[in-house]
Every structure is written in C-alpha cells, then in structure tokens.
Amino acid sequence: MSVILILIALVLLIAGAWAGLSVLVLAPLLAALAAFASGMPVLAGYTQVFMAAAGGFVVAFFPLFLLGALFGKVMEASGAAERLAQAIAAAVGPANAMLAVVLACAVLTYGGVSLFVVAFAAWPLARALFAQTGLPARLIPATIALGAFTFTMTALPGTPSIQNAIPMATFGTTPFAAPGLGVIAGAVMLALGLGWLRYRARALAGEAPPEAPDGPPRDRPLPLWVALVPIASVGIGTLAMGVLVLPALETGYLALPLYGATDLSRVGGLWSVIAALGVALALALALSRPPRLMAVLNEGAESALLPLFNTASLVGFGAVIASLPGFEMLRASLDGLSGGNVVVAAALSSGALAGITGSASGGMSIALDVLGPSLVAQATAQAVDPALLHRVVAVATGGLDTLPHNGAVITLLGICGMTHRQAYADIFMVAVLGPTLACALIMALGIAFGSF
C-alpha cells in the first residue's frame, strides 16, 4: 500500500505541475498527504523531515545558485550572452538554426550561466532564427532544452553545474571526474537530440514558425573577447583551484568540529567551483560594465531564489517519500535489479529519485544522503573508481528528472509561450530518452573498462 501511495503522490505531482501549479505548493502538500496516509505524524514529517532536507539543501548549495544567477544576470544585462549567441549563430550559418541555438545554450551553461537564465537569453535568438528559416515554433523549447538541460549539465567534465558539484562531497572527486566517459555521454546526447530535432523539423514542415521579433538591433555590441573571457575563466579557474591552489594550502583545520570534521577531498570540489564563479563574476563586471549595476545585482540575487527553493522543496518532498516504508521496498527492488553491481545500483537509485522529485540535483542529494556511505563502501569492496560513480550518478539523474513536473521545464515552456501538450513530447525525446540511453552506454563502458 505504501508503494502505491508513493506512485499516487508522484502522479499527482506531475499532474499538478502539468496544470501549472507551483511545486512550492504541490511538494509540501503531497508530502503531507503521503505521510498521513502512511501513518507518519504529519507535523513532525513536515518540520523534521521535509524542512530539514529542504533547509540542508539550501545551506549546502545557496552559494552556487547565487553566484550562478549573478553571473548569468550580468552576462545577460551587459549583452555578453547575446553577443556570444550571435557569434555562434553566424559561425554555423542560418541553415543550421537548431544547431546554433543548441551550441549557444551549451557554451553559456558550460561557462557557468544558470540554465534558467540561459532559457531567457536563448529565447530571443531562437525565435529570430526559427522565424528566418521557417522552422516550427513548437521545436524551440526542445532545442533550448537540448543545449541547456543535457550534456553540459551532467556529462561534460569540468562543468560548474550544481549537478556536477553535488557528487564531489560524497565520492571525494573533482568536477573533472571520468572525463572520457563524460565526453562520450555528451556526444551521444548531442547526436541523438539533434537527430530527433531534424527528423521532427522535416515531419512538421509547413507548420507555422514563430513571429519575427520586433525592435531595432542592439547598438554597439560588445567585442566578442569581452564576452568570451569570463566564460572561459570558469573552466580554467575550476581546474586551477582544484589542481594547483587548494592542494598547496594548509587545510588541517577542516578536521575541527567547527568546520564539520571533514577534509579537503570532501569540500575541495565545491570550493573550486565557488571560487571560479566568483572570479568569473568579477571579470564580467570589470570587462562588460553592465548598466544599472545595483539593479542588475539585485535582480540576479532575486532570480536565484525561485530555482533554489523550487529544488529545495522537491528535495523535501523526496526526503519524505524516502522515509516511507514503501520506499525501502522500492529500494530493495532496485537493488535486486542491479544484481549487486554498485554502478548499476547507483544509477537506478539516483535516477529513480530524480524522477520522483522532478529534479536532478534534488534526487541526487537525497540518493547520496541516504545511500552515499553504502555506495562508497560497495565501490571500495568491488574496486570501483569513485570517479565512475560520480559521472554515472550525474548522468543518470539528468534523464528522468526532466519529467513534466520539472521546474526548468515549466519555466522554459512559460518563456516560449507553449503548453506541455504542444512541446513536451519533443523535450522528452531530447532531454529524457537521449540522456537515459547515454547513461546506459557509459555504465556498460565503465563496468567493462573502468573509469577513464
């Protein structure tokens, strides 16, 4: 019965999100209903389980959401994001409009710009290119999703995304964990996604394109190098902090209870991304000098809150679900499917929780909080490189997370003026099916050849 309650809660969460109800309302309400039906004290479940998990996520990852949003807002307000997108579109040519949008989104997200900000920044470019080439308007959300929600979010080594940062504390890894497998997974996602979009463009030939945007072009665009330098600094800074700067510092004080009785291997990856985003933000401010600086910073800080609390709310929902008796049954079933292989177990458990919560970072946080020590112990016993688990968990959660109740999907559809019925099927193909197949491939390669 408890398993049925979990499935009902998930279906209601998806249905409510499909109808447009905020997950800030849906998640605690459905968690309370599931807790009540399972015999858990509702108020205790809310304050001690839901809020503890949601608050823990905010405490752990608020700096990344804040710095990412500030950086993205500065890039947007200064025109740097638009300049990069235009340069990429010009380089690949108007005949490759979908590829141009995908690459523009990929460069921005891999450079540290929040995918929510990228969705806003890419919409004007996509609308103009699709209008010029007569491509169907309904493919714009899937095109943006392919560039922003898939390979740059979970697969490519060094990406500063929150999804690539969360596994570092559990596995003691860096943002560059299993780089070869990450590149393979990213290439598969990109190839499958572009193949589907091109097939759909042919199938929908003759369907109405979007209306061309109004307004004069931006005067005196930024030099391209001004837009490129802050983006490039994120990857370079992350690598330099992890390889050169942090290992040279004396960090023995981290063993003190005041600092969580930890060590550099557990926090170094997160510190590297925080420092790199801080440097990138400073460079963007110094080079691009956006107008209305105080307003831009205020808007950027505020724009971090909704995605942060949407995700935290889904983390809280998932934590309540994970505390119910039915979840242990589901977990046991997944363990049975894994055949005792820690790589398969990590992928199944984290992917399932990402689907339940509708959030890659949320599902990953719960899975690693609950199962992390067990996975590390199994990896040690089976001589599995933790870097392999890092990459597999990241890619696994970047598939089923993009179900209809995903906050980024809801935001993207709203930006593009589309409904789930119009555009979600194509989002599913490029951001759920493609990443899931890529995950299966790198799991097989990792089991056969190890991490590389």
Side-chain angles (χ1 to χ4, degrees), residues 168-169 172 251-256 259-269 271:
M168 295 188 295
T251 56
Y253 58 85
L254 288 172
L256 297 174
Y259 302 109
T262 186
D263 57 58
L264 184 62
S265 67
R266 299 295 178 186
V267 299
W271 286 6

Side-chain angles (χ1 to χ4, degrees), residues 20-49:
L21 186 59
S22 170
V23 295
L24 292 175
V25 176
L26 274 173
L29 175 62
L30 292 175
L33 290 175
F36 175 76
S38 298
M40 175 188 286
V42 173
L43 289 177
Y46 179 67
T47 60
Q48 306 307 115
V49 181

Side-chain angles (χ1 to χ4, degrees), residues 19-331:
L21 186 59
S22 170
V23 295
L24 292 175
V25 176
L26 274 173
L29 175 62
L30 292 175
L33 290 175
F36 175 76
S38 298
M40 175 188 286
V42 173
L43 289 177
Y46 179 67
T47 60
Q48 306 307 115
V49 181
F50 183 99
M51 286 307 302
F57 184 85
V58 172
V59 168
F61 299 109
F62 175 68
L64 291 188
F65 276 83
L66 177 63
L67 287 170
L70 286 172
F71 179 57
K73 193 64 182 178
V74 169
M75 293 290 287
E76 177 189 11
S78 66
E82 181 183 0
R83 181 71 182 90
L84 275 174
Q86 289 173 343
I88 292 170
V92 302
N96 297 302
M98 289 186 294
L99 177 61
V101 174
V102 169
L103 292 179
C105 293
V107 168
L108 291 171
T109 50
Y110 192 64
V113 180
S114 163
L115 60 86
F116 291 90
V117 174
V118 171
F120 280 102
W123 158 241
L125 170 73
R127 181 177 58 170
L129 289 175
F130 276 51
Q132 292 171 12
T133 55
L135 289 168
R138 75 163 75 186
L139 293 182
I140 291 178
T143 305
I144 294 175
L146 176 59
F149 300 177
T150 61
F151 57 97
T152 55
M153 187 178 81
T154 62
L156 295 188
T159 178
S161 71
I162 188 73
Q163 293 80 6
N164 195 39
I166 291 173
M168 295 188 295
T170 299
F171 299 123
T173 48
T174 75
F176 296 88
L181 291 172
V183 170
I184 291 171
V188 170
M189 294 181 207
L190 178 60
L192 291 178
L194 284 175
W196 175 259
L197 290 174
R198 286 167 177 161
Y199 160 74
R200 286 287 286 162
R202 292 192 299 270
L204 297 174
E207 187 171 305
E211 294 183 2
D214 297 324
R218 179 185 296 270
D219 294 332
R220 300 177 63 186
L222 287 175
L224 182 58
W225 71 269
V226 171
L228 280 172
V229 167
I231 290 286
S233 74
V234 178
I236 295 171
T238 301
L239 183 62
M241 287 294 297
V243 175
L244 300 175
V245 179
L246 292 180
L249 299 179
E250 169 53 49
T251 56
Y253 58 85
L254 288 172
L256 297 174
L258 176 63
Y259 302 109
T262 186
D263 57 58
L264 184 62
S265 67
R266 299 295 178 186
V267 299
L270 187 61
W271 286 6
S272 296
V273 179
I274 289 174
L277 283 174
V279 171
L281 175 60
L283 285 172
L285 288 169
L287 295 176
S288 60
R289 292 175 292 178
R292 304 182 304 109
L293 178 58
M294 290 184 63
V296 167
L297 293 177
N298 288 339
E299 291 169 9
E302 291 170 3
S303 71
L305 299 181
L306 184 59
L308 173 63
F309 281 96
N310 274 341
T311 304
S313 189
L314 291 168
V315 169
F317 170 81
V320 172
I321 295 299
S323 69
L324 301 180
F327 179 77
E328 189 58 36
M329 297 176 63
L330 288 174
R331 175 185 169 185

